[in-house]
Amino acid sequence: GLSRPSVGTPSISLTMSMPWRRVADLPFALSDFTATLVPNRGRIVIVGGCDEDQVAEDEWTFCPSISKKVLLYDYAADTWSRGLDAPRERYRHAAATDGRKLYVLGGRDVAENLVPQTDVYDTQTGKWATIAAEVPRSDLGAIWNDAGDLGLLGPHIFVAGGYNADYSVAFADTLKINPETGETSPGANLLTGRGDFGFVSTGANARAYAVGGFNSDDFCTPLASVETLDLNSNWPDFAPSKPLLVAVWKSKFYGAFVLNH
């Protein structure tokens, strides 16, 4: 006769393998560059970096050749192409994008001098420009922020951390840069000065995270600390004792409220 199937939740053993796979190599070996996703163009944009083997001298290493090349990776076609060279060589720098323009900040040249200029690559036209903002530090972090500051400042580049010229200071201070004028204003300081660290934004959630890195007190022991900032409280002297009256316009609401600032 027919047997009745058992009742209950079936047990399914499913093993999924999602391995890394090799794709097209870089046109040449490179380190200490920036790689920035520009999804509107379907490209990963690589700027600058060290394009020769680094040299060890005493307890330090340095790069004998710095690139100003721009490499464009089409991740759908798995192909590399060249963009117009950047205005200057740099490595150990940072980059942030608004989805079209790529802002390249800080870093060092082949003589280990800081590169203060902020260069802007338009991924649509393929051309470069330079704005007035100067950021003389290396190994810094940079994000694009169009969600924080309650909309008071408008979209801007938010820069944090990094080192001074001789690596004796790991900066805790931050900068907000107007992408059109290059005007800078201070942001809320990091709790711990750090360079060579991870710096990311959650985008619409208006929160930034600073992860790991090194403090200038000890380059042998990396930091384990992670700190986060609500980008709506991104002022250098943020304190509950200072009320700030803010007018807000939303699609169906207009009013004012007091922010503890």
Side-chain angles (χ1 to χ4, degrees), residues 83-258:
L84 183 67
D85 283 357
R88 66 203 89 247
E89 299 90 353
R90 66 174 91 203
Y91 80 138
R92 298 180 180 175
H93 52 287
T97 183
D98 63 0
R100 170 177 169 173
K101 292 182 178 180
L102 183 70
Y103 299 85
V104 182
L105 314 99
R108 294 176 183 268
D109 64 18
V110 72
E112 288 293 316
N113 298 309
L114 295 175
V115 179
Q117 294 90 345
T118 299
D119 296 322
V120 186
Y121 180 64
D122 189 321
T123 62
Q124 184 169 313
T125 66
K127 295 180 179 180
W128 284 92
T130 302
I131 60 175
E134 294 199 343
V135 186
R137 57 182 77 182
S138 71
D139 304 272
L140 64 162
I143 59 175
W144 178 260
N145 178 31
D146 57 5
D149 284 346
L150 300 167
L152 297 178
L153 184 63
H156 59 276
I157 307 138
F158 184 40
V159 173
Y163 302 123
N164 68 343
D166 64 1
Y167 294 95
S168 63
V169 175
F171 294 108
D173 66 311
T174 67
L175 294 172
K176 295 181 282 190
I177 301 174
N178 184 309
E180 299 299 326
T181 66
E183 181 181 359
T184 63
S185 58
N189 284 358
L190 294 165
L191 299 175
T192 301
R194 62 183 76 211
D196 198 19
F197 65 109
F199 192 49
V200 295
S201 167
T202 58
N205 292 335
R207 187 164 287 280
Y209 289 83
V211 183
F214 287 95
N215 185 273
S216 55
D217 294 334
D218 185 358
F219 284 106
C220 293
T221 307
L223 298 169
S225 60
V226 179
E227 47 189 287
T228 184
L229 171 70
D230 180 345
L231 292 168
N232 283 316
S233 60
N234 190 10
W235 290 279
D237 57 349
F238 188 87
S241 60
K242 298 181 180 180
L244 174 69
L245 184 65
V246 180
V248 177
W249 170 261
K250 297 291 185 183
S251 59
K252 295 185 179 179
F253 171 79
Y254 176 77
F257 64 94
V258 174

